[in-house]
Amino acid sequence: MAGPTTARRGGQKNTKSKAAGSARSPKRSRAALLPPRPPRRGGKPRKGAPRGSRPRPRSLRRRRLLLGSLAAVLLGTAVWWALYGSTWLRVTRVDVSGTTVLTPEEVREAAEVPLGDPLASVDTDAIAERLRNRLRRIEAVDVERSWPHGIGLKVTERQPKALLEKGGKFIEIDGAGVRFATVDHPLQGVPRLVVEPDGSPSHRRFGTEQLEREAVRVAAALPPPVRGDTHVIRVRSYDSITVELTGGRTIVWGSGERSDAKARTLTALLKAAGGAKRYDVSAPGAPAVSGS
């Protein structure tokens, strides 16, 4: 018996293919009904997404950087103009404080603060240097900007610790041995300094100026009650300094070394033997008292 013909075999194949296709068609329809998967964060868009649907990160960062740079330039220009180009922040006044002997007018004149200049451009260090050089009485000065229009000068004046008589006038000397002013009359409560070199080897070695500085060290170290009663600090050599008090009392001080320890010893001696005439603290560990 003859087999099926070619046409029949072809028909059977087509029938099987259609049946297989109809069997797989439900799976494709369920996948087609699912919503599209959203793109991952920070990742690349899925294939097939339309171009230009989201901005490029690099382009956005570049745009933000450009805007930030432009804003910084504009802000810096505005600040520079406000500080240096405008008339808003200019020096119009000079305030002086801390003076006792000097007058504010003397300080302003010596300072030469450039009125009308931008406050930000004022050289405060140069002002302080001018004051210290021109007014020897000034020991220190703080120069500060007082926004928006002022300069403040806070002065610390030197305090005289001893007076050196010369030509009928009195030279004021501070605790560092600096001669800073000359006055016509001696100040109350400030001892006079008398240098009487004895020709000893110490005088030839140190000289008169060094002896003066040693005497000033002694004057600065005296306890306040003793300093008020001191008339004369007499210097004959480096290690021969005596302090002459009211009532004919004398303190043998020795050199200016260990002056703090000598001052403490003197305070104790005055409490223990206040009626004595002579106090020797040249060796503070072994003081001596005599006279009554």
Side-chain angles (χ1 to χ4, degrees):
M1 184 176 179
T5 63
T6 304
R8 291 178 181 178
R9 289 195 299 268
Q12 293 176 354
K13 291 181 179 180
N14 291 338
T15 303
K16 292 179 180 181
S17 299
K18 290 180 179 180
S22 61
R24 289 195 299 268
S25 59
K27 295 181 179 179
R28 286 199 302 270
S29 61
R30 285 196 301 270
L33 293 176
L34 293 176
R37 184 178 300 174
R40 292 175 298 175
R41 293 183 179 179
K44 297 181 180 180
R46 295 181 297 106
K47 292 183 180 180
R51 295 184 179 180
S53 61
R54 53 184 300 190
R56 296 181 180 179
R58 291 183 179 179
S59 177
L60 183 60
R61 286 196 298 269
R62 190 180 300 111
R63 191 179 302 115
R64 290 176 178 175
L65 181 61
L66 180 60
L67 292 176
S69 301
L70 180 60
V73 170
L74 293 176
L75 179 61
T77 303
V79 171
W80 184 93
W81 181 83
L83 291 176
Y84 299 98
S86 71
T87 58
W88 301 341
L89 305 175
R90 302 273 172 165
V91 181
T92 60
R93 73 175 192 277
V94 179
D95 301 322
V96 180
S97 62
T99 57
T100 54
V101 178
L102 295 171
T103 64
E105 289 74 17
E106 289 176 314
V107 176
R108 291 191 187 96
E109 183 179 355
E112 290 187 359
V113 177
L115 297 177
D117 283 10
L119 186 58
S121 67
V122 173
D123 191 343
T124 56
D125 293 336
I127 294 174
E129 185 176 359
R130 282 196 296 271
L131 286 173
R132 289 191 295 265
N133 291 337
R134 297 176 180 179
L135 298 176
R136 295 277 289 174
R137 186 176 290 276
I138 293 180
E139 181 179 7
V141 58
D142 292 331
V143 183
E144 299 178 348
R145 294 179 177 86
S146 180
W147 300 94
H149 302 297
I151 289 291
L153 306 177
K154 186 176 181 181
V155 174
T156 301
E157 296 183 357
R158 298 183 188 274
Q159 300 300 318
K161 299 300 182 182
L163 298 173
L164 184 63
E165 186 175 2
K166 187 176 182 180
K169 296 183 179 296
F170 298 89
I171 302 173
E172 294 180 329
I173 307 175
D174 71 353
V178 177
R179 302 183 182 189
F180 62 90
T182 301
V183 294
D184 296 329
H185 304 285
L187 302 176
Q188 188 71 25
V190 181
R192 288 192 301 115
L193 178 61
V194 177
V195 180
E196 297 175 340
D198 56 4
S200 63
S202 66
H203 176 251
R204 291 192 297 269
R205 175 184 176 185
F206 296 103
T208 302
E209 293 184 0
Q210 180 64 31
L211 296 182
E212 289 179 4
R213 285 193 290 269
E214 289 300 309
V216 171
R217 286 176 60 188
V218 174
L222 290 173
V226 177
R227 187 182 303 119
D229 291 339
T230 301
H231 286 320
V232 176
I233 298 178
R234 197 175 302 275
V235 185
R236 292 184 175 87
S237 65
Y238 180 82
D239 54 359
S240 179
I241 301 175
T242 58
V243 180
E244 300 176 5
L245 307 178
T246 58
R249 296 172 296 168
T250 303
I251 303 171
V252 179
W253 200 270
S255 69
E257 298 176 359
R258 302 183 64 191
S259 287
D260 292 340
K262 294 176 182 180
R264 292 192 295 268
T265 300
L266 176 62
T267 301
L269 289 179
L270 291 174
K271 291 181 180 180
K277 291 294 184 180
R278 180 182 174 88
Y279 303 88
D280 190 339
V281 294
S282 56
V289 177
S290 62
S292 58

